[in-house]
Amino acid sequence: MNLEEANSIYFIGIGGIGMSALARYFAAKGLTVGGYDKTKTEITDALEDLGVCIHFEDDIKEIDARFLDIKTTQVIYTPAIPKSHSELHYFNSNGFHVMKRSQVLGEITRQTFCMAVAGTHGKTTTTSILGHLLNECNVEVTAFLGGISENYNSNLILNGTDVTVVEADEFDRSFLTLSPDFACITSMDADHLDIYGDASELAKSFEDFSKKIKPNGKLFVKNGLPITGITYGIEDDSDYSAENIKIVNGSYEFDVKTPNVLLENFKFNLPGRHNLSNALIALAMSVEYGLPQPQLAKALASYKGVKRRFTYQIKTDELVYIDDYAHHPEEINAVHQAVREMYPNKKVLAVFQPHLFSRTKDFIDDFAKSLSKFDEVLLLDIYPARELPIEGVTSQWLLEKIENKNKKLVQKTELVSTIKNSDATVILTIGAGDIGEEVKHIKKALSYAS
């Protein structure tokens, strides 16, 4: 059976950000969609509102009969699901057609003009900017996002099927299933060393990805990366460069130098040079696709961001509370740069939840260095995600390495009261684990306090 013949799609790990976007896509196409996830979240609630049938116990008895017909059901799973999962084992051992999420994206992208965004940081923001630009310029586009767009309150932009915009995820090399027409690489910092072993293997996989581009396609790369392509950068000698940058009322205003002309008067509302860089590459790909400056400038100015990417929860003269998904030392550095650029004289408290024992171990000194830059640091215990503990790898170990007198290890139960006791006027929560679930409690407590 190929994907086209299926009329029921069953997802194992349906609540994941990438999986749920695919679930929305197939539901929008009128197929019967259902699945399993470990935990009930706002994402699974939103899918259930669309009529998607979801259960939260790994048990074959829980699967709706509509998904047990081998002739009509396509099963899709995420690599985050363990091999021992009983539902996955059932579908595999009974001859069902089972595909990884990345293979399904690969199939969808093969039949359309595909723009893929790769890189160890910046994928989600760049993909959502690019999807928004194309959509606002009336391109018939489907964009699969790795986060919830503030403009669409969704991780899927669906406005036709001529162009597909996707995140090309380097985790477990899944981006090698894609066949893009345009692709970009935003960064190649070492990450996922639990999968790759060392940084040179990761670099090689990006090299392999660059060879997946269709004939006559285009590769865009951040200036300075060791891969050849159309370059982009900020105030440098790149093919596409952001020039004449000003900060006006907390927004960037800038021009874009292209290989042929200077495009003037762009406005972008997200703070941080890393976000400006993400906007620039989305603009470069849109310009190469043939979209005109006036429409692009209007579209970019209306872009609102992605949830948990430098998201303002409270923004008053007395108190600022920002939540961000940063979970790698380079991402924490980028958040720090953005905060200092916007609030140069304010005291900043960072609350960080490390994500994965392996990542903490691999980058312990870099994490310590990036966290030491804040005025005050609170650490939560490591969020294990898919991993078992590694002996000696703890938040206490990281805490000891942070060079900052104002540092403390806290439990979630005491987090709100500890934050309220701080005299910092800019508060950040950062991390990719379940710290996002604490945001509403922190926001509520701080709103009352202020």
Side-chain angles (χ1 to χ4, degrees), residues 171-173 190-198 356-359 361-363 384 386-387 390:
F171 171 69
D172 87 341
R173 299 180 172 82
D191 198 4
H192 303 302
L193 299 185
D194 54 327
I195 304 283
Y196 285 98
D198 66 51
L356 298 179
F357 296 102
S358 59
R359 187 183 280 125
K361 174 173 148 288
D362 290 336
F363 303 109
R386 55 186 179 267
E387 293 184 336
I390 299 172

Side-chain angles (χ1 to χ4, degrees), residues 7 11 33 101 105 119 160 226 291 305 322 367 381 386 408-409:
N7 56 27
F11 288 86
V33 179
R101 181 184 76 94
L105 270 184
L291 301 178
I322 296 159
F367 275 122
D381 284 329
R386 55 186 179 267
K408 189 180 177 188
L409 188 59

Side-chain angles (χ1 to χ4, degrees), residues 7-24:
N7 56 27
S8 305
I9 313 275
Y10 187 80
F11 288 86
I12 304 178
I14 195 165
I17 197 75
M19 291 282 274
S20 57
L22 270 181
R24 280 177 178 273

Side-chain angles (χ1 to χ4, degrees), residues 283-409:
L283 285 169
M285 291 169 88
S286 303
V287 168
E288 292 280 335
Y289 186 69
L291 301 178
Q293 190 278 345
Q295 279 177 280
L296 284 174
K298 189 175 173 213
L300 187 67
S302 70
Y303 176 76
K304 294 178 187 165
V306 178
K307 286 197 166 93
R308 297 219 64 225
R309 303 303 193 282
F310 213 90
T311 303
Y312 282 99
Q313 299 292 336
I314 297 174
K315 192 179 185 183
T316 65
D317 291 343
E318 295 76 44
L319 183 71
V320 172
Y321 170 31
I322 296 159
D323 178 47
D324 194 275
Y325 187 75
H327 55 283
H328 182 284
E330 286 303 319
E331 293 167 352
I332 296 172
N333 288 336
V335 168
H336 178 265
Q337 182 276 325
V339 165
R340 296 296 186 202
E341 188 174 50
M342 293 296 158
Y343 305 103
N345 305 311
K346 304 241 173 144
K347 181 174 178 181
V348 183
L349 161 66
V351 182
F352 178 55
Q353 180 189 45
H355 184 262
L356 298 179
F357 296 102
S358 59
R359 187 183 280 125
T360 307
K361 174 173 148 288
D362 290 336
F363 303 109
I364 187 84
D365 291 328
D366 294 332
F367 275 122
K369 204 189 248 172
S370 60
L371 290 165
S372 298
K373 295 174 180 174
F374 296 99
D375 302 306
E376 190 178 342
V377 182
L378 298 178
L379 278 190
L380 290 168
D381 284 329
I382 296 171
Y383 183 76
R386 55 186 179 267
E387 293 184 336
L388 294 169
I390 299 172
E391 196 177 341
V393 179
T394 61
S395 286
Q396 181 60 42
W397 180 39
L398 173 55
L399 188 78
E400 285 160 11
K401 285 180 170 279
I402 294 171
E403 293 181 12
N404 189 324
K405 291 193 293 290
N406 302 315
K407 60 180 181 178
K408 189 180 177 188
L409 188 59

